[in-house]
Amino acid sequence: MSRFDIQLPGLNMKNPIMPASGCFGFGREFSKLYDLSGLGAIAIKATTDEPRFGNPTPRVAETPGGMLNAIGLQNPGLEKVVAEELPFLADYDVPILANIAGTTTEDYVAVARTVSKAPNVTALELNISCPNVKEGGISFGTDPNVAAELTRAVKEVSDVPVYVKLSPNVTDITEIAQAIEAAGADGLAMINTLLGMRIDLKSEKPVIANRTGGLSGPAIKPVAIRMIYEVSQRVSIPIIGMGGITSADDVLEYFLAGASAVAVGTANFVNPFVCPEIITELEEKLTEKRIDHISDLIGRSWKSCYSPSS
Amino acid sequence: MSRFDIQLPGLNMKNPIMPASGCFGFGREFSKLYDLSGLGAIAIKATTDEPRFGNPTPRVAETPGGMLNAIGLQNPGLEKVVAEELPFLADYDVPILANIAGTTTEDYVAVARTVSKAPNVTALELNISCPNVKEGGISFGTDPNVAAELTRAVKEVSDVPVYVKLSPNVTDITEIAQAIEAAGADGLAMINTLLGMRIDLKSEKPVIANRTGGLSGPAIKPVAIRMIYEVSQRVSIPIIGMGGITSADDVLEYFLAGASAVAVGTANFVNPFVCPEIITELEEKLTEKRIDHISDLIGRSWKSCYSPSS
Amino acid sequence: MTKVVHHEQIADKIYELTFEGEMVTDMVEPGQFLHIRVGDQYMPLLRRPISICDVDLDRKQCTILYRAEGEGTLLLSQKRKGVRLDVLGPLGNGFPLDTIAEGETAILIGGGIGVPPLYYLSKKLVERNVRVVHVLGFASKKDAFYVDAFEQLGTTAVTTIDGTLGYQGFVTDYMKQEAPAYDVLYSCGPTPMLKAIEEQLNPDRAYFSLEERMGCGIGACFACVCSVKDDPTGHRYRKICSDGPVFPQGVIQL
Amino acid sequence: MTKVVHHEQIADKIYELTFEGEMVTDMVEPGQFLHIRVGDQYMPLLRRPISICDVDLDRKQCTILYRAEGEGTLLLSQKRKGVRLDVLGPLGNGFPLDTIAEGETAILIGGGIGVPPLYYLSKKLVERNVRVVHVLGFASKKDAFYVDAFEQLGTTAVTTIDGTLGYQGFVTDYMKQEAPAYDVLYSCGPTPMLKAIEEQLNPDRAYFSLEERMGCGIGACFACVCSVKDDPTGHRYRKICSDGPVFPQGVIQL
Ligand SMILES: Cc1cc2nc3c(=O)[nH]c(=O)nc-3n(C[C@H](O)[C@H](O)[C@H](O)COP(=O)(O)OP(=O)(O)OC[C@H]3O[C@@H](n4cnc5c(N)ncnc54)[C@H](O)[C@@H]3O)c2cc1C
Ligand SMILES: Cc1cc2nc3c(=O)[nH]c(=O)nc-3n(C[C@H](O)[C@H](O)[C@H](O)COP(=O)(O)OP(=O)(O)OC[C@H]3O[C@@H](n4cnc5c(N)ncnc54)[C@H](O)[C@@H]3O)c2cc1C
Ligand SMILES: Cc1cc2nc3c(=O)[nH]c(=O)nc-3n(C[C@H](O)[C@H](O)[C@H](O)COP(=O)(O)O)c2cc1C
Ligand SMILES: Cc1cc2nc3c(=O)[nH]c(=O)nc-3n(C[C@H](O)[C@H](O)[C@H](O)COP(=O)(O)O)c2cc1C
Ligand code: FES
Ligand code: FES
């Protein structure tokens, strides 16, 4: 009996670990290192309607305990993803969470309609941190109404459950999460990166050509944990947690905060074997701690009554 | 000729370095370690109308490259600060930035009126990250109108220039900064801590008794730099920059982003001599880099024309 | 600058580390603590408070004992002989030595990783011709350390929760059962143990050394406060790092 | 597991590090790189890409040369003999050896910290009876390294910007002035240098090794892309880490 198989809408996972979108490409590179069928799921790189080159380089910069990236959604475009990348992944026994992005609602709808019909795509992940060109460039993820409307539009055309990936760069994430739940989302993924910048002392310019970038890695873990702790108490759809996960202990912390599965992003760059290593380590920890099933831990930090002096 | 004396409203600084509020108490402990007159200024611990005990312990937790705190504005209260703490600091030749806090506008006004009359308080720093009890507990710092109104009320009663310390936990910090500038603030201080949480795997509860805490330290530096880069381009009042500063290189990065002075917080806990060490190191760096005056660097990352491919 | 001159594991997860440096000459008060930076980067960020366990003033050497369990102490346990150790201290106020008279009996009760500071205290008391009795509580035999060293200084009882060494039970169980006579009680260990000692033994003259998570370690950040006992105002406090870690009985709400 | 067996400073800020391990047996292609984790904590977080400079397949030893200037390389420079080194690789595609025939002449042009991979390349070419000529550009005499080692393999010209060693000027200045004859050109160095070589020398057969800031180092993150030359669509690219770092002339928009 497995201690950590997880069933979420569209995601029938052997274990709760998946690589995070954008940190695993479309799996080809990692497939040379280990068997992808051992993963709980795979979140693939954001797919857009048309191919995108993305931002100029440098696209990454290092920061204390984290990194910035401004890849700019580089991807081969919907057509190639469906024709080449997804079939490659179909050889593995692993559910695919297809991350989709765009700059108009129509973009998202177009990608969602087609990608959700791919045989091995079992769920969608809406990346709503992208700037909304119609709304003057503000991100889809910062306004509850805009986010809800997008969710509704995508739900309408999708053949598979839809997860919405929240941006942490907001005043009140619970408000947005609730609006998205009400709009029919099947789950949430959180968090995307924090907006950050690093300036190079020699050039006196931002290190990243795009100037700002998304902060990921261990540095952001406390922000993600706080947000999941807050949101999980206010929604009843499951949360895929992420942000700075590097170990099985981190996974346990995310479950206690309220996550029902987790994604590992930046850590794949530090140690390309991190996902299978965490899976092994997690199973050992659960056995050692005599936790019958990891789902027992979901939200336990707030579910039991809290007494501050103990 | 000094390369780094800085004149800001109310703050006549020998150098651009001050300890950040809450990380230096009222200076007594550090006065045993080095001469406080060597500092550019001192931001004292938040003062409230009445004495406060603050939050239950544990009040701090460590995170990757940072720490969480939920001290809860513990302080001896306005009367004692004016009667005992400020006179102690009057023995040193250093301007005092008095950080003030409250839960109603009246609280802030009361503290501002009295503290701004203390002979060695040369400027106020409004900590607007506190929950606003009248507005249902939302923080004063998350709504541009509420923040502007508070600024106006405090400006009216203050005998000295007023800096407003911004919370980073907002969707659009430039909007708030501009509202505060329009309300008459003399300067900005940014950033306060990011809201975060850490969960203890043994107790399965948040480590911090108050559950959430404020994230500070190197981990948050990229977020602070990004926000100062954005805000400094949209306001014309000076910015005191802070968040994760540990070295003279960090100070240079803050100036390039758009800060006109900096505060060092958490690093004082790691190395209690960090402020004088940074001052010495900074002077050396300026000489070495042949920078005539540090103020030449303010905002240089965006002032010169930007070409992404270079 | 201080340098590690000895580093050895002495029990399950327990390490003994000796370092040498000028600063050791200030370490004359038992019960004070050191604030140790364990990494060179800012990860882990904060220093770790560790008690002074023994001091050799002539050789300018100080010994600490610590349990390597969390991120910081595990990193500390990897320091090799010869490397630099970044130590701040001695910090805080230790056990007062002049409140007990020559010929009187001191009982020193330690629990787990609260045992180390009692060793230097015991040596100092013996130097002053105070009779010392030790009660050292551990979880199990594998966790016990320094029992022989304490025995050299005075009668030493050991208790273990599982009974694998000495008396089975908590130190308070032992105290109630055996009821050794003493004039002054000194104790360091987990707060629940100190609380039980205060409530169950209700000693006249006693000193407790407390623990709390710290930021600065020098009194500036208000991380480590504890409440004053029976305080009607509700906002009186002491800082464990700079007012303590040792407090006379009755001052702090345990 | 790889272990540091030699570590020495050989020029201003330049270090030579040799490590030993099973993985070295895969390092048969000059121009490939390693992705090295320099810290044990997550600060610094990312690995550092460093070229293979020399390999001793029999002893399973690989040598790298690097400039210790930033946070990560400074930390690397503190690794002592005997410690573990976390190395990923060999990664990427190196210099093709079979595109030059026996008896032909190869010119290898390196700039600064782009010089190291040319050493292993030169050795491999010499093994194949190719005649090698080296042009090594440094800022100043104090920055120069491995000049003698290259001289053992073939004619070696050194240029320095300040003229303190060899020819004064850039490698391209030297090439125009001296115009040595060659069949195939191989180069590694800062992108402006590669661009100048391409534009000013316009070689028929040439290979360039490129640099870019990396995330994963294995082709998964799209951090290190560069544009394909004369691409009308505007979105064709190559990844330096997995398609390169070495590209034939004309493929990449330098
Ligand atoms: C005055 C004083 C004296 C002490 N003397 C000793 C001693 O002689 N030997 C010994 O082994 N331990 C001693 N401790 C406890 C010791 O400080 C902690 O065990 C240690 O800080 C844990 O660090 P870590 O890296 O193992 O754990 P982590 O879990 O990585 O610690 C995370 C953070 O929590 C803090 N923390 C965790 N546990 C404690 C604790 N029990 N008390 C205070 N802070 C804690 C750490 O300092 C750090 O800031 C003392 C504590 C205090 C306050
Ligand atoms: C394929 C390849 C091979 C290389 N071979 C060598 C070599 O043999 N010897 C050598 O000394 N250097 C080599 N470099 C450059 C080397 O990777 C950088 O000098 C090094 O990463 C800088 O790290 P740092 O810790 O000193 O600087 P930091 O400023 O701390 O670096 C911060 C971040 O920027 C990245 N970065 C900074 N400069 C560069 C750069 N020039 N290229 C790529 N990333 C950079 C770092 O990897 C890190 O992620 C190579 C680079 C590449 C891409
Ligand atoms: C290089 C890089 C590229 C990313 N690309 C995407 C993306 O295409 N779509 C998306 O939703 N998130 C993307 N992310 C965000 C991650 O999926 C993840 O939410 C974030 O990095 C936090 O997790 P981590 O700290 O484990 O990396 C990217 C992150 C990185 C570092
Ligand atoms: C323990 C602690 C207490 C703080 N107390 C206050 C405070 O009373 N008022 C305030 O405005 N900021 C307070 N801050 C925030 C700091 O002044 C500073 O804005 C923040 O920590 C970021 O800087 P740093 O990363 O250098 O610490 C506190 C920070 C810490 C770590
Ligand atoms: S730890 Fe800062 S006041 Fe005690
Ligand atoms: S570094 Fe990740 S694709 Fe090249």
Side-chain angles (χ1 to χ4, degrees):
Chain A
M1 259 277 310
S2 163
R3 286 181 196 267
F4 64 4
D5 56 317
I6 292 277
Q7 276 75 44
L8 300 182
L11 299 172
N12 212 320
M13 300 167 71
K14 300 185 194 81
N15 60 66
I17 313 295
M18 69 180 86
S21 175
C23 303
F24 207 73
F26 296 95
R28 288 187 194 270
E29 294 76 19
F30 288 87
S31 73
K32 292 175 206 149
L33 303 178
Y34 57 83
D35 180 6
L36 303 185
S37 301
L39 296 168
I42 295 175
I44 57 173
K45 174 113 199 86
T47 301
T48 55
D49 205 4
E50 296 297 319
R52 290 220 198 162
F53 179 76
N55 293 320
T57 56
R59 294 176 168 189
V60 294
E62 207 180 32
T63 71
M67 67 175 279
L68 296 168
N69 90 80
I71 305 297
L73 298 178
Q74 178 157 29
N75 79 96
L78 179 59
E79 207 177 298
K80 268 214 174 153
V81 169
V82 171
E84 294 170 18
E85 303 299 345
L86 288 170
F88 166 78
L89 284 167
D91 287 350
Y92 298 93
D93 171 28
V94 60
I96 304 296
L97 180 64
N99 187 280
I100 69 177
T103 41
T104 62
T105 305
E106 294 71 42
D107 285 355
Y108 279 97
V109 165
V111 181
R113 182 179 283 124
T114 309
V115 161
S116 70
K117 292 191 175 52
N120 56 332
V121 167
T122 60
L124 298 186
E125 184 181 43
L126 291 199
N127 177 353
I128 59 169
S129 305
C130 319
N132 176 343
V133 289
K134 289 223 179 132
E135 301 274 339
I138 73 137
S139 140
F140 277 100
T142 55
D143 182 307
N145 297 326
V146 176
E149 212 180 284
L150 181 69
T151 305
R152 218 171 281 119
V154 168
K155 266 301 281 182
E156 219 157 81
V157 300
S158 175
D159 284 7
V160 295
V162 175
Y163 291 75
V164 180
K165 184 156 175 185
L166 306 186
S167 161
N169 304 294
V170 296
T171 308
D172 183 0
I173 197 158
T174 61
E175 193 190 357
I176 292 175
Q178 287 170 313
I180 287 169
E181 178 180 39
D186 299 282
L188 300 172
M190 56 194 287
I191 59 175
N192 213 318
T193 52
L194 284 164
L195 263 179
M197 178 183 284
R198 179 165 178 178
I199 296 172
D200 186 81
L201 298 186
K202 272 194 206 144
S203 71
E204 304 190 338
K205 298 271 170 298
V207 172
I208 290 200
N210 187 50
R211 299 175 220 191
T212 62
L215 181 63
S216 64
I220 70 168
K221 199 183 69 173
V223 175
I225 293 285
R226 187 264 296 179
M227 290 185 162
I228 291 169
Y229 179 89
E230 288 175 348
V231 169
S232 63
Q233 295 182 57
R234 287 177 185 78
V235 301
S236 51
I237 49 179
I239 297 173
I240 302 170
M242 69 200 80
I245 293 175
T246 66
S247 68
D249 277 350
D250 290 338
V251 176
L252 297 176
E253 191 175 352
Y254 269 87
F255 269 77
L256 291 168
S260 297
V262 299
V264 179
T266 303
N268 289 291
F269 306 161
V270 184
N271 171 10
F273 297 95
V274 71
C275 286
E277 281 176 18
I278 289 180
I279 292 167
T280 307
E281 204 194 331
L282 184 62
E283 190 155 32
E284 285 163 12
K285 289 244 168 186
L286 293 171
T287 310
E288 186 190 300
K289 289 177 179 260
R290 293 162 209 261
I291 294 163
D292 283 342
H293 199 278
I294 193 168
S295 56
D296 297 347
L297 298 184
I298 301 170
R300 205 139 95 177
S301 64
W302 51 263
K303 273 183 184 157
S304 55
C305 142
Y306 184 77
S307 79
S309 58
S310 73
Chain B
M1 258 277 310
S2 163
R3 286 180 197 267
F4 64 3
D5 56 316
I6 291 276
Q7 276 74 44
L8 300 182
L11 299 172
N12 212 319
M13 301 166 69
K14 300 185 192 81
N15 61 65
I17 313 295
M18 70 181 86
S21 175
C23 303
F24 207 73
F26 295 95
R28 288 188 194 268
E29 294 76 18
F30 289 87
S31 74
K32 293 176 206 148
L33 304 179
Y34 57 82
D35 180 5
L36 303 184
S37 301
L39 295 168
I42 296 176
I44 57 173
K45 174 112 199 86
T47 301
T48 55
D49 205 5
E50 296 297 320
R52 291 222 197 160
F53 180 76
N55 293 319
T57 56
R59 294 175 168 190
V60 294
E62 206 178 33
T63 70
M67 66 175 280
L68 296 167
N69 89 80
I71 305 296
L73 298 178
Q74 178 157 31
N75 80 96
L78 179 57
E79 208 177 296
K80 269 214 175 149
V81 169
V82 171
E84 294 169 18
E85 304 298 345
L86 288 170
F88 166 78
L89 284 167
D91 286 351
Y92 299 93
D93 172 27
V94 61
I96 304 295
L97 180 64
N99 187 281
I100 69 178
T103 41
T104 63
T105 307
E106 294 70 41
D107 286 354
Y108 279 96
V109 166
V111 181
R113 182 178 284 124
T114 308
V115 160
S116 70
K117 294 192 173 49
N120 57 331
V121 167
T122 59
L124 299 185
E125 183 181 45
L126 292 199
N127 177 352
I128 59 170
S129 305
C130 319
N132 177 343
V133 288
K134 288 224 178 128
E135 300 274 340
I138 73 137
S139 141
F140 278 99
T142 54
D143 182 308
N145 298 326
V146 176
E149 213 179 283
L150 181 69
T151 306
R152 219 172 279 119
V154 168
K155 265 302 281 181
E156 219 157 81
V157 300
S158 176
D159 284 6
V160 295
V162 174
Y163 291 76
V164 181
K165 183 155 174 186
L166 306 186
S167 161
N169 303 294
V170 296
T171 307
D172 183 0
I173 197 158
T174 61
E175 193 190 358
I176 293 175
Q178 286 170 311
I180 287 169
E181 178 180 39
D186 299 283
L188 300 171
M190 54 194 289
I191 58 175
N192 213 319
T193 53
L194 285 165
L195 263 179
M197 178 183 283
R198 179 165 177 179
I199 296 172
D200 185 81
L201 298 186
K202 272 195 205 142
S203 71
E204 304 190 338
K205 299 272 170 296
V207 172
I208 290 201
N210 187 49
R211 298 175 222 192
T212 62
L215 181 63
S216 64
I220 70 168
K221 199 184 68 174
V223 175
I225 293 285
R226 186 265 295 180
M227 289 184 163
I228 291 169
Y229 179 90
E230 289 174 349
V231 169
S232 63
Q233 294 181 58
R234 287 177 184 78
V235 301
S236 50
I237 49 179
I239 296 173
I240 303 170
M242 70 200 79
I245 294 176
T246 65
S247 69
D249 276 351
D250 290 339
V251 176
L252 298 175
E253 190 175 352
Y254 270 88
F255 269 77
L256 291 169
S260 297
V262 298
V264 179
T266 304
N268 289 291
F269 307 161
V270 184
N271 171 11
F273 297 95
V274 72
C275 286
E277 282 176 18
I278 289 179
I279 292 167
T280 307
E281 204 195 331
L282 183 62
E283 190 155 32
E284 287 163 12
K285 290 242 166 187
L286 293 171
T287 310
E288 186 191 300
K289 290 177 179 257
R290 294 163 208 259
I291 295 164
D292 285 341
H293 199 278
I294 193 167
S295 57
D296 297 347
L297 299 183
I298 301 170
R300 204 139 94 179
S301 64
W302 51 263
K303 274 183 183 157
S304 56
C305 144
Y306 184 77
S307 79
S309 59
S310 75
Chain C
M1 222 208 76
T2 63
K3 215 177 63 185
V4 175
V5 295
H6 162 92
H7 203 171
E8 185 191 354
Q9 187 169 356
I10 59 168
D12 188 37
K13 294 184 186 163
I14 306 290
Y15 289 76
E16 180 184 60
L17 182 157
T18 304
F19 62 88
E20 193 175 277
E22 271 313 313
M23 67 179 306
V24 173
T25 52
D26 294 333
M27 301 182 187
V28 292
E29 195 178 315
Q32 285 188 300
F33 72 96
L34 308 171
H35 219 189
I36 302 184
R37 185 156 174 204
V38 292
D40 301 319
Q41 275 66 51
Y42 291 97
M43 195 180 274
L45 180 75
L46 297 171
R47 289 173 178 267
R48 299 300 192 257
I50 303 285
S51 303
I52 296 169
C53 168
D54 195 11
V55 176
D56 183 333
L57 290 171
D58 294 336
R59 297 163 75 181
K60 299 180 182 165
Q61 294 188 342
C62 167
T63 296
I64 58 172
L65 305 184
Y66 66 92
R67 173 155 46 215
E69 201 156 26
E71 186 191 356
T73 47
L74 282 171
L75 211 62
L76 182 59
S77 73
Q78 285 159 27
K79 299 256 178 209
R80 300 194 191 177
K81 211 171 129 168
V83 305
R84 242 191 113 240
L85 194 69
D86 182 346
V87 180
L88 202 68
L91 300 175
N93 295 301
F95 294 102
L97 295 172
D98 49 9
T99 53
I100 184 163
E102 214 168 294
E104 286 192 297
T105 300
I107 192 158
L108 281 59
I109 309 180
I113 205 59
V115 166
L118 300 183
Y119 183 66
Y120 192 34
L121 171 63
S122 186
K123 273 176 90 171
K124 286 284 185 186
L125 290 171
V126 167
E127 258 176 33
R128 299 170 59 92
N129 295 317
V130 169
R131 212 174 71 85
V132 293
V133 176
H134 313 110
V135 184
L136 312 178
F138 299 101
S140 186
K141 185 178 174 179
K142 71 177 190 340
D143 305 304
F145 54 86
Y146 262 46
V147 176
D148 292 350
F150 276 98
E151 269 168 354
Q152 311 259 314
L153 299 170
T155 319
T156 302
V158 173
T159 76
T160 51
I161 298 174
D162 64 3
T164 45
L165 188 71
Y167 182 93
Q168 171 168 7
F170 293 111
V171 289
T172 40
D173 299 331
Y174 172 85
M175 289 296 291
K176 277 190 290 185
Q177 188 108 20
E178 305 292 323
Y182 60 89
D183 299 295
V184 185
L185 184 152
Y186 303 87
S187 185
C188 182
T191 309
M193 180 188 102
L194 303 182
K195 205 177 157 82
I197 290 175
E198 187 180 52
E199 285 173 1
Q200 295 174 32
L201 307 181
N202 194 20
D204 283 339
R205 294 156 68 195
Y207 296 89
F208 295 115
S209 180
L210 305 186
E211 261 190 18
E212 188 49 81
R213 289 188 180 235
M214 293 187 177
C216 65
I218 61 172
C221 77
F222 296 82
C224 66
V225 299
C226 50
S227 293
V228 164
K229 210 171 187 145
D230 306 321
D231 165 31
T233 73
H235 53 72
R236 291 184 55 214
Y237 62 89
R238 291 287 184 283
K239 294 175 194 160
I240 288 180
C241 69
S242 53
D243 299 321
V246 176
F247 295 96
Q249 123 129 32
V251 171
I252 300 303
Q253 181 60 52
L254 288 175
Chain D
M1 222 208 75
T2 63
K3 215 177 61 184
V4 176
V5 294
H6 161 92
H7 202 172
E8 186 191 354
Q9 186 168 357
I10 59 168
D12 187 38
K13 295 183 186 163
I14 306 289
Y15 290 76
E16 180 184 59
L17 183 155
T18 304
F19 62 87
E20 192 175 280
E22 271 313 312
M23 68 180 305
V24 174
T25 52
D26 294 333
M27 301 182 187
V28 293
E29 196 179 315
Q32 285 187 300
F33 72 97
L34 309 171
H35 219 190
I36 301 184
R37 186 157 173 202
V38 291
D40 301 320
Q41 275 66 51
Y42 291 97
M43 194 181 274
L45 180 74
L46 297 171
R47 289 173 178 267
R48 298 300 191 259
I50 304 284
S51 303
I52 296 169
C53 169
D54 195 12
V55 176
D56 182 333
L57 290 172
D58 294 336
R59 297 163 75 182
K60 298 180 182 166
Q61 295 187 342
C62 167
T63 295
I64 58 172
L65 305 184
Y66 65 93
R67 172 155 46 214
E69 203 155 25
E71 186 191 356
T73 47
L74 282 171
L75 210 62
L76 182 58
S77 72
Q78 285 159 27
K79 300 255 179 209
R80 301 194 190 176
K81 210 170 130 169
V83 305
R84 243 191 112 240
L85 193 68
D86 182 346
V87 179
L88 201 69
L91 300 175
N93 296 300
F95 295 101
L97 295 171
D98 50 9
T99 52
I100 185 164
E102 214 167 295
E104 286 192 298
T105 300
I107 192 158
L108 281 59
I109 308 179
I113 205 59
V115 165
L118 300 183
Y119 183 68
Y120 192 35
L121 171 64
S122 186
K123 273 177 91 172
K124 286 284 185 185
L125 290 171
V126 167
E127 258 176 32
R128 298 170 61 92
N129 295 319
V130 170
R131 210 174 72 85
V132 292
V133 176
H134 313 111
V135 185
L136 311 179
F138 300 101
S140 186
K141 186 178 174 179
K142 70 177 191 340
D143 306 304
F145 54 87
Y146 261 48
V147 175
D148 292 350
F150 277 98
E151 269 168 355
Q152 311 259 313
L153 299 170
T155 319
T156 302
V158 173
T159 75
T160 52
I161 298 174
D162 64 2
T164 45
L165 189 71
Y167 182 93
Q168 170 168 7
F170 293 111
V171 291
T172 41
D173 299 331
Y174 171 86
M175 289 297 291
K176 277 190 290 187
Q177 188 107 20
E178 305 292 323
Y182 59 90
D183 299 295
V184 185
L185 183 153
Y186 303 86
S187 186
C188 182
T191 309
M193 180 188 104
L194 303 181
K195 205 177 157 82
I197 290 175
E198 189 180 52
E199 285 173 1
Q200 295 173 32
L201 308 180
N202 193 19
D204 284 338
R205 293 155 68 195
Y207 296 90
F208 296 115
S209 181
L210 304 187
E211 262 191 18
E212 190 47 83
R213 290 188 181 236
M214 293 186 177
C216 65
I218 61 172
C221 78
F222 295 82
C224 67
V225 299
C226 50
S227 292
V228 164
K229 210 173 187 141
D230 306 322
D231 165 31
T233 73
H235 53 72
R236 290 184 56 214
Y237 62 88
R238 291 286 184 282
K239 294 176 194 159
I240 288 180
C241 69
S242 53
D243 298 322
V246 175
F247 295 96
Q249 123 129 31
V251 171
I252 301 302
Q253 181 61 53
L254 288 175

